[in-house]
Amino acid sequence: LEKYWKLLVFDHHKPTADISSENTTVIRSQDWTPKYCPTSALVLNLLDELAGCSGQEWIAAVGIIADGGQEQWQEILDFSIKTWQTNLEQLQKIADIIGCVSLHEDDTLIDKLCKTLYDADDPLDIAESKEYDQYVKDINDEIEKWFKVHKQKAEFHKDILYYKIKPKYHINS
C-alpha cells in the first residue's frame, strides 16, 4: 500500500515490529495514554475534533466492548447508551456480530457488514437485525462443540491443562 498512498495506522497492541516509514505513520494508544485504550477509543478521541465524529460514538463503544476496555472507557459507553437509547447488551451483540463475521474470513461478507455499519443510522439498526444471526450461531456452535469435549480430550498435568483443537474457524482467545 505504501507504494501508492501515505498510510496512517492506529493500533492498541504492543508493538512487535516497527512498521513506521516515510509513507507510514503509526499511532499507538500506549503513546497517547497510560491506561488501556482500544483503537476505537483512540481514534474517537484523537479525531473527534478534527473530523467531527459526533454521532459515531456508538461505533467506538462497540470497539471498546470488543476489546475489553469498558472499565477504562465507561464514559463513552454511558454517552452512547444514553444518546442512542440502547443498552450494553445491544452494543455487545454488535461486537459479537463483527467478531463472528470476521472469523468466517469471507471478504464479501466482511465488506457487506462494513457497508451495513457505515449505512446504519443508529446501533439498533444492527442490534435488532437478524441478518447476521446465522454467522454468530456458526461460531458459537463451534466453540460449544470444542468446549463440550475438552474434559475427554484434554491432558491434565497438575495445574496445567493441555488441549489441542482444530476448529473450523480461526478461533483464538
Side-chain angles (χ1 to χ4, degrees):
L1 292 176
E2 286 184 314
K3 187 176 177 179
Y4 305 102
W5 300 289
K6 290 192 179 278
L7 304 174
L8 178 59
V9 177
F10 295 93
D11 194 8
H12 72 276
H13 297 102
K14 290 182 182 175
T16 56
D18 183 8
I19 61 169
S20 296
S21 72
E22 185 177 321
N23 287 335
T24 299
T25 301
V26 179
I27 298 175
R28 297 192 183 280
S29 60
Q30 298 91 338
D31 298 331
W32 180 65
T33 179
K35 69 180 179 176
Y36 176 69
C37 183
T39 303
S40 60
L42 175 67
V43 171
L44 179 68
N45 281 285
L46 292 178
L47 296 184
D48 187 30
E49 241 179 86
L50 179 67
C53 297
S54 181
Q56 304 302 312
E57 298 87 358
W58 68 270
I59 296 174
V62 168
I64 289 166
I65 292 166
D67 283 330
Q70 296 94 312
E71 184 179 316
Q72 297 86 349
W73 298 95
Q74 187 64 47
E75 68 273 10
I76 294 174
L77 297 177
D78 292 343
F79 179 84
S80 297
I81 289 167
K82 182 179 177 185
T83 301
W84 294 100
Q85 299 175 354
T86 186
N87 58 50
L88 193 58
E89 292 76 25
Q90 291 167 325
L91 295 173
Q92 178 67 60
K93 182 179 179 191
I94 298 167
D96 292 345
I97 289 168
I98 294 168
C100 292
V101 165
S102 297
L103 287 172
H104 278 78
E105 297 180 346
D106 176 335
D107 290 342
T108 302
L109 178 61
I110 292 168
D111 289 347
K112 179 181 175 187
L113 177 58
C114 287
K115 183 167 178 13
T116 300
L117 287 164
Y118 183 79
D119 290 343
D121 290 324
D122 68 59
L124 295 179
D125 290 350
I126 298 164
E128 293 179 350
S129 169
K130 304 292 182 206
E131 184 172 359
Y132 298 98
D133 286 357
Q134 184 60 51
Y135 302 104
V136 174
K137 183 180 182 317
D138 293 344
I139 300 302
N140 288 336
D141 288 351
E142 185 74 5
I143 292 169
E144 183 66 25
K145 176 181 94 173
W146 289 99
F147 187 76
K148 280 182 179 177
V149 298
H150 85 277
K151 289 185 180 176
Q152 295 83 28
K153 298 195 177 218
E155 295 177 24
F156 295 88
H157 303 279
K158 294 185 182 179
D159 59 347
I160 297 173
L161 173 105
Y162 176 76
Y163 181 36
K164 186 175 181 178
I165 65 172
K166 285 190 168 190
K168 180 178 177 180
Y169 305 99
H170 184 74
I171 298 169
N172 49 29
S173 65

